[in-house]
Amino acid sequence: MTRPAAVWPDAAAAFYAACLDRSDYAATVGRALRQALAPATTLLDIGAGSGLLGRAMLQPGGRWTAVEPNAHMRGRLAGAAGVVRPRVIDAAWESLPQLARHDVVLCANIPGPIDRPRMLLQVCRPLARRAVAWVVPAQPGPRGPCLAGLLPAHLHGEDETPGVDLTLAALPSDERPDQRIDVDWTFRALFADQAAARRYFTDQYGDRLGDDRALDAVLAPHLKAVAGGLQAEARKRSAILIWTASGETDR
Ligand SMILES: C[S@@+](CC[C@H](N)C(=O)[O-])C[C@H]1O[C@@H](n2cnc3c(N)ncnc32)[C@H](O)[C@@H]1O
């Protein structure tokens, strides 16, 4: 299979999954999803990652299909102990194998909704019996590396338009979602020490962030000593976008 360039290396996937385990993402976004849509009897979870949201969305006894092109994430999905495991498919949404329709199709924080929303919607809609749900970045600020928002704009250098604004602007009025729910949450990363925190940023941005002392000064206000190292927190907002097959949500 040809891999889209956006598919992470395993180390980046492992870091992200560990951060989500420390964050309130599954609790807050999962709760909002369940309130907006009754739990899915069958769930097609595209770009499922470690499966936190899919697990939160699935009705007990439901059937869960996870599409995931990253090997580390597939290992987490298949190997999780003591919890529901999905059927795991190694694919990207751009080249899905033939799939049956599912009650709900979920795309949470995957590449596509911001830069190719019409194409992704065309893939999702025929596969959804009841609803398509996307989770899209909605905070004003950078959308690249998860902790980019800790840097001042002149250092991260990214466009700060909320991703959801770009998604909605790219969809014609008859393809806009039936419902939008915004949820605030906090992304949490743990670094062993100051040098590891610095390395995270220099790996992403190279030496444009200045020397070690300059970068330490930028990061210091954001790093809190906790058991096991230094914790960094980034405030996030996610927009849940829902398209329903009937034109109505369950609530
Ligand atoms: C930011 S993570 C989100 C994971 C999960 N949906 C969540 O909300 O926690 C993005 C996931 O999308 C996957 N991914 C990247 N490119 C993809 C593509 N073209 N098709 C499907 N999944 C993709 C990545 O491997 C990764 O697991």
Side-chain angles (χ1 to χ4, degrees):
M1 189 188 78
T2 312
R3 303 265 143 194
V7 176
W8 284 330
D10 283 348
F15 175 77
Y16 175 81
C19 292
L20 277 201
D21 285 345
R22 300 181 72 82
S23 306
D24 58 355
Y25 173 70
T28 53
V29 180
R31 188 184 319 119
L33 263 170
R34 279 195 310 273
Q35 283 171 354
L37 277 175
T41 52
T42 56
L43 177 67
L44 178 60
D45 188 357
I46 300 181
S50 59
L52 289 177
L53 270 198
R55 208 163 272 124
M57 263 306 285
L58 191 69
Q59 179 171 294
R63 191 163 48 78
W64 178 16
T65 309
V67 172
E68 178 49 63
N70 174 269
H72 174 86
M73 294 302 200
R74 284 199 304 280
R76 281 184 171 250
L77 289 163
V83 286
V84 183
R85 294 182 206 170
R87 170 190 170 214
V88 182
I89 297 174
D90 175 8
W93 66 260
E94 295 89 338
S95 50
L96 288 178
Q98 193 160 16
L99 290 168
R101 287 208 304 161
H102 287 62
D103 183 27
V104 174
V105 175
L106 174 66
C107 298
N109 283 316
I110 69 166
I114 294 174
D115 58 338
R116 291 159 292 163
R118 293 190 77 182
M119 202 187 295
L120 179 59
L121 202 54
Q122 273 169 22
V123 170
C124 293
R125 274 187 147 154
L127 294 171
R129 253 197 308 273
R130 183 161 58 96
V132 173
W134 290 358
V135 178
V136 182
Q139 70 275 354
R143 300 178 300 277
C146 294
L147 292 172
L150 304 190
L151 300 176
H154 74 276
L155 287 183
H156 67 63
E158 280 190 50
D159 169 41
E160 297 201 332
T161 310
V164 67
D165 292 0
L166 302 174
T167 301
L168 296 176
L171 291 172
S173 54
D174 60 345
E175 291 183 29
R176 300 250 167 84
D178 299 301
Q179 200 179 352
R180 169 181 171 172
I181 303 134
D182 284 11
V183 187
D184 290 321
W185 58 282
T186 304
F187 182 88
R188 296 196 180 92
L190 179 70
F191 296 106
D193 52 27
Q194 188 93 23
R198 221 186 286 128
R199 203 158 45 242
Y200 167 85
F201 286 94
T202 50
D203 281 355
Q204 320 270 356
Y205 294 98
D207 50 16
R208 60 179 281 186
L209 303 181
D211 61 18
D212 288 359
R213 257 174 67 173
L215 182 51
D216 283 349
V218 170
L219 298 182
H222 302 291
L223 296 175
K224 192 173 87 185
V226 296
L230 295 171
Q231 180 167 278
E233 293 192 343
R235 307 296 305 277
K236 301 280 182 186
R237 177 168 299 156
S238 289
I240 298 172
L241 304 179
I242 295 175
W243 292 259
T244 48
S246 63
E248 287 176 14
T249 49
D250 287 0
R251 289 183 35 144

